[in-house]
Amino acid sequence: MRYMADENGILYLCATPIGNLGDVSERCLEILKSVDLIAAEDTRRTLQLLNHFGITKALTSYHEHNKKAKGEYIVKLLKEGKNVAQVSDAGTPAISDPGEDLVRLCIENGITVTSVPGPVAGITALILSGLPTGRYAFEGFLSVNKRHRHEHLNAVKNDPRTLIFYEAPHKLKTTLSDMRSAFGGERRIALARELTKVHEEIIRTTLDGAVEYYEEKPPRGEYVLVIEGAKPETAGDEECFWSNMTVAEHVERYISEGMDSKAAIKAAAVDRNVPKREIYSEYHKTK
Ligand code: SAM
C-alpha cells in the first residue's frame, strides 16, 4: 500500500508474535527494517525479536508510564517526516497494550496511522474455544479493584455474546471464582494458555469445572478466558433498569418506589450480586 507524499511520517502499528516467532509477517519485518524508529513497549523484548531476524534499528520505549511525554516526542518526529513503527510486548498494539493513546494523538495531529495486522491472543483463543464466534465481546483484563471487578462482571453477566477476557496466572483462581459467582457454575468456558507455543493448551469446561481443576493444579502461563454468553432466557432480562446507574442512583430508585434505605440497599445488592456491605458503604460515601 502506498500513501500520498506527505510532509509528515507515518505511524505503523505492527503486530508481533504472541509466542511463536514464525508468526511474524514478511511485511512486519519489512516495515521494522524501513522505519526511522521503533517505539517498543519493552525495548529488551523487542531487541530479541530484532536480533532474531538480524534487524538493527533505533528503539525508544513507549509504555503505560511514559506515554504522555513520549507520545508527544513521537508525534514531533512524525511531524518532521520520520516514519515510526509501534510494537508492544506481544500481539497487536492497542489491544490491552499501549497504543490507543498514541493512535488518538496522531489522528489529532493529522498524521497517517496504518496497521500491519497479525496475531491477537483474544481472537486466537476465540477460534479455538469451540464457543460461538458470530457475536463476541472483548472485555480485556478485569480490574484488581474488587468493586470494579464485580461491577464489570455484573455488567456483562446477561450479555448473550461470547465474552473474551485476559488474565495473568497469579490472578486466575480469584478471577475464576468471581466469574463463577457472577455467571453461575454451569457457564461454559475455554481457558487458552501458551497459545502458539510448544505447550499450547485449551481446557474446555464449565466455570465449576475450571474452579475445581485449578484447586489441584497451579496456573501456568498467560491465559485467555473465553466464556459462553448468557442463555436466551437469562439474556431476556439483560436490560436491567440499573445497568447504567451508579450504586447511589440504584438505591435511590428503590427508595423512590417506597422502600426504606435498608431494604433498598439489600435489593440493590441482590441485583448486583455483591455483598450488602459493599452497597452500604458505596451508598453512604455519597451521602
Ligand atoms: N496485545 C496483545 C494481543 O494482541 O493479544 C495482548 C497484550 S496483554 C498485555 C497480555 C495478555 O494477552 C496476557 O496476559 C494474556 O491474557 C494474553 N496473551 C498474550 N499472549 C498469550 C498467549 N501466547 N497465550 C495466551 N494468552 C496470551
Side-chain angles (χ1 to χ4, degrees):
M1 189 184 292
R2 291 207 177 279
Y3 290 92
M4 298 286 289
D6 185 340
E7 287 184 3
N8 292 333
I10 294 171
L11 176 72
Y12 294 89
L13 301 175
C14 291
T16 54
I18 55 171
N20 189 324
L21 287 184
D23 293 336
V24 74
S25 75
E26 220 176 296
R27 189 156 84 90
C28 178
L29 294 177
E30 270 171 32
I31 298 289
L32 294 178
K33 275 183 211 157
S34 74
V35 290
D36 298 291
L37 179 70
I38 300 174
E41 184 182 7
D42 179 341
T43 51
R44 279 171 309 177
R45 186 109 184 240
T46 300
L47 202 53
Q48 285 170 4
L49 179 82
L50 297 183
N51 287 342
H52 183 86
F53 290 101
I55 301 172
T56 313
K57 187 61 61 182
L59 284 172
T60 191
S61 67
Y62 176 84
H63 49 68
E64 205 44 45
H65 307 291
N66 72 357
K67 65 184 183 186
K68 194 157 188 313
K70 195 48 86 69
E72 278 159 21
Y73 169 71
I74 292 169
V75 165
K76 179 175 160 287
L77 294 180
L78 286 158
K79 285 192 156 176
E80 288 167 5
K82 304 270 193 297
N83 291 319
V84 179
Q86 203 218 337
V87 297
S88 57
D89 272 2
T92 298
I95 299 297
S96 290
D97 258 335
E100 188 182 334
D101 300 79
L102 186 58
V103 170
R104 199 176 306 115
L105 196 63
C106 286
I107 294 169
E108 281 165 11
N109 281 275
I111 288 157
T112 302
V113 182
T114 187
S115 77
V116 182
V120 184
I123 297 296
T124 309
L126 174 69
I127 61 172
L128 295 174
S129 67
L131 293 168
T133 58
R135 292 187 66 206
Y136 60 87
F138 176 69
E139 297 296 325
F141 289 96
L142 287 173
S143 167
V144 285
N145 175 294
K146 210 166 168 233
R147 183 166 61 84
H148 293 159
R149 288 165 77 78
H150 282 301
E151 283 176 0
H152 188 164
L153 291 172
N154 276 315
V156 295
K157 75 175 181 193
N158 293 320
D159 193 323
R161 295 172 296 178
T162 302
L163 303 172
I164 304 171
F165 292 90
Y166 283 167
E167 196 49 283
H170 63 283
K171 289 191 276 164
L172 183 76
K173 284 166 96 165
T174 313
T175 292
L176 289 175
S177 145
D178 289 350
M179 284 176 165
R180 179 168 70 169
S181 305
F183 303 150
E186 302 285 291
R187 202 68 90 87
R188 286 188 295 158
I189 178 173
L191 300 101
R193 58 181 281 272
E194 303 284 90
L195 287 164
T196 76
K197 300 184 194 176
V198 179
H199 298 293
E200 174 175 288
E201 182 181 35
I202 321 289
I203 299 165
R204 299 175 184 88
T205 178
T206 58
L207 280 166
D208 274 341
V211 169
E212 197 183 322
Y213 183 84
Y214 284 104
E215 268 162 19
E216 307 286 314
K217 224 177 152 173
R220 291 233 168 81
E222 299 294 295
Y223 284 80
V224 181
L225 310 178
V226 186
I227 300 180
E228 178 184 30
K231 295 256 185 300
E233 62 271 22
T234 342
D237 43 67
E238 80 287 347
E239 271 314 311
C240 22
F241 70 89
W242 49 267
S243 55
N244 292 320
M245 289 181 176
T246 63
V247 165
E249 287 165 348
H250 190 174
V251 173
E252 295 286 7
R253 164 70 81 84
Y254 278 127
I255 293 174
S256 74
E257 287 171 3
M259 284 188 192
D260 62 29
S261 64
K262 202 171 156 206
I265 286 169
K266 187 173 174 195
V270 170
D271 286 347
R272 290 175 187 250
N273 195 21
V274 296
K276 259 188 309 186
R277 63 172 185 285
E278 256 186 59
I279 301 289
Y280 181 89
S281 77
E282 186 64 18
Y283 176 64
H284 283 283
K285 246 191 255 164
T286 62
K287 293 287 113 190

